[in-house]
Amino acid sequence: MRLEPYRHVLTRPGVLPLVLVALLARVPATAVGITLTLHVVGDLHRGYGAAGLVGALSTIGMALGSPALGRLVDRRGLRPMLLLTTVASAVFWAVAPELPYQVLLPVAFVGGALTLPVFSVVRQSLAALVPEEHRRAAFSIDSMSVELSFMVGPALAVIVLTTTSATITMWAVGVALTLAGLGLYGFNPPTRSDEERAAGRPAERHRVLSPRLVTVLVAIAGATFVFAGTDVGIVAILRTAHQLNWTGMVFIAWGAYSILGGFVYGALPRPWPTFVIMVLVGLCTMPVGLATNWQWLSLLMAPAGFLCAPVIASSSDAVSRLVPASVRGEAMGWHGSALTTGTSLGAPVVGFVLDRYGPVWAFALAGAVGAVVALLAILVTRRRPDAPADAPAAEPEAIAVGAGGTP
């Protein structure tokens, strides 16, 4: 392993402040899923499938809204988008705790479509601040930052919820997201490099969704299907074992494994194959459902957890290379859509299986779906290695087999 890539990234102007701002801004965003789940299960007295449906509608809204918000950034700049989404997020979390379940469903969809896209904004800014040869390390740092946020956000949400109420927790999430939006508005990170801004806007709009980019997006959706299933499954296992108070500790362990994997991935001289990592994530997730207490759960999650951050980092790097700067915001929006699409499908499907068949079959299903989707992506990549005419050149096999160090 080499540490030079991290030094090159963190010493570039604007990168370290962006990483620190992103870390703080993402904490409330990572608490959204578990807060909604426990609100529906605890306060509204519904099952995990019903809780997953609320999360699914919210993330479907995010999936539909994210590319449009990214396009808004490409055309109008970052601040108009931040103003719109910050206000919308504040309104949603102010009213959501008081809504009955039937009304919460459509409101969650609208709130999701206009949610603050912290993750996409940060990745777009990193792509603008860091040259291509150092982006793998940059996105590894980003993925580790995400995991640090996940270690704090869900655990903090559980602590606040168990010591106060779900309503206060939801209001706290809303206040924190509003402050995050205002902080990003004030910081106003760049979305294009100086060279890209000097080149101006192209006369014609480039195509965003090339076949190769679509393949990457589908594969990452399969991976986040696994992550969402794991998220819901952790709560179910601990609730069944009457160890819900250990939820925060288990999430911290999951995040720690991922941070270690992200650090190793970014420091390697050659990248791990993106789609192969996704296959391994699915296979390693399948036995997690055998856990019966928080200790075994933390142990069985280690192999899959180690691969989580590399999946996100490598897919972010691939997306940033497959499109020109003029449409990078929309492309990162589609990347965010892929992430949330997998989540929107994984939460209700795995929740449905949890309600009827228990954790063993739920984790087996989640892992199998992720592995099969990634295997299909490998086959498609090998059959269609041609690059789209309007995208920057890249090694097509790198995504599947790790060639050339360029996913």
Side-chain angles (χ1 to χ4, degrees):
M1 291 192 304
R2 305 170 302 158
L3 298 182
E4 288 85 359
Y6 292 123
R7 181 177 59 82
H8 286 305
V9 170
L10 292 175
T11 55
R12 291 191 65 84
V15 171
L16 184 57
L18 175 63
V19 171
L20 295 177
V21 170
L23 178 62
L24 296 175
R26 283 167 165 166
V27 168
T30 60
V32 168
I34 194 168
T35 300
L36 286 175
T37 296
L38 294 179
H39 169 65
V40 173
V41 173
D43 289 357
L44 301 182
H45 308 292
R46 301 276 179 158
Y48 289 105
L53 184 57
V54 173
L57 287 172
S58 176
T59 50
I60 289 172
M62 293 179 194
L64 295 175
S66 189
L69 294 174
R71 194 178 303 121
L72 178 61
V73 174
D74 289 335
R75 295 180 176 181
R76 304 295 181 185
L78 184 61
R79 280 182 163 172
M81 184 277 294
L82 288 175
L83 183 61
L84 171 65
T85 55
T86 299
V87 172
S89 295
V91 172
F92 170 76
W93 288 100
V95 303
E98 306 300 327
L99 299 178
Y101 180 76
Q102 292 78 5
V103 179
L104 180 61
L105 291 172
V107 172
F109 173 80
V110 176
L114 295 175
T115 197
L116 181 68
V118 178
F119 299 90
S120 297
V121 167
V122 173
R123 289 168 184 143
Q124 183 180 2
S125 297
L126 278 177
L129 290 169
V130 180
E132 286 192 9
E133 62 268 23
H134 296 304
R135 281 184 191 165
R136 178 161 59 90
F139 286 122
S140 295
I141 293 172
D142 177 69
S143 66
M144 289 186 279
S145 171
V146 170
E147 294 304 339
L148 284 173
S149 299
F150 269 105
M151 292 172 68
V152 176
L156 187 59
V158 171
I159 292 173
V160 175
L161 189 145
T162 54
T163 55
T164 57
S165 66
T167 297
I168 293 177
T169 305
M170 296 175 79
W171 285 342
V173 169
V175 170
L177 283 172
T178 301
L179 294 175
L182 294 175
L184 285 171
Y185 186 93
F187 184 58
N188 194 27
T191 56
R192 297 188 187 188
S193 66
D194 293 338
E195 295 78 7
E196 291 163 350
R197 285 195 297 269
R201 298 179 183 273
E204 295 183 1
R205 179 175 174 77
H206 289 268
R207 183 177 56 156
V208 178
L209 293 177
S210 65
R212 186 149 30 119
L213 180 58
V214 171
T215 303
V216 174
L217 296 178
V218 171
I220 192 61
T224 54
F225 182 99
V226 180
F227 300 160
T230 302
D231 196 5
V232 177
I234 287 171
V235 177
I237 288 176
L238 294 177
R239 191 179 180 92
T240 301
H242 304 290
Q243 295 179 333
L244 194 59
N245 57 316
W246 288 99
T247 303
M249 182 63 68
V250 174
F251 274 106
I252 289 173
W254 190 15
Y257 300 142
S258 183
I259 289 172
L260 179 60
F263 179 81
V264 172
Y265 175 77
L268 288 176
R270 293 170 62 88
W272 295 337
T274 302
F275 294 152
V276 173
I277 300 173
M278 294 177 180
V279 172
L280 293 176
V281 166
L283 295 178
C284 293
T285 297
M286 296 177 72
V288 176
L290 298 173
T292 56
N293 55 51
W294 74 268
Q295 295 96 329
W296 276 107
L297 182 58
S298 299
L299 182 63
L300 290 173
M301 288 172 56
F306 183 82
L307 299 170
C308 288
V311 165
I312 303 302
S314 58
S315 65
S316 301
D317 190 18
V319 171
S320 74
R321 297 170 186 266
L322 289 173
V323 297
S326 60
V327 293
R328 189 184 291 139
E330 183 177 348
M332 285 300 177
W334 282 113
H335 182 256
S337 294
L339 294 171
T340 54
T341 296
T343 303
S344 68
L345 294 174
V349 171
V350 174
F352 178 87
V353 177
L354 277 169
D355 288 337
R356 286 157 180 79
Y357 304 106
V360 173
W361 287 105
F363 276 96
L365 172 68
V369 168
V372 169
V373 171
L375 285 171
L376 292 175
I378 292 174
L379 294 176
V380 171
T381 302
R382 289 180 174 177
R383 287 173 178 265
R384 297 196 57 171
D386 54 301
D390 57 352
E395 293 291 336
E397 293 300 316
I399 297 174
V401 297
T406 306

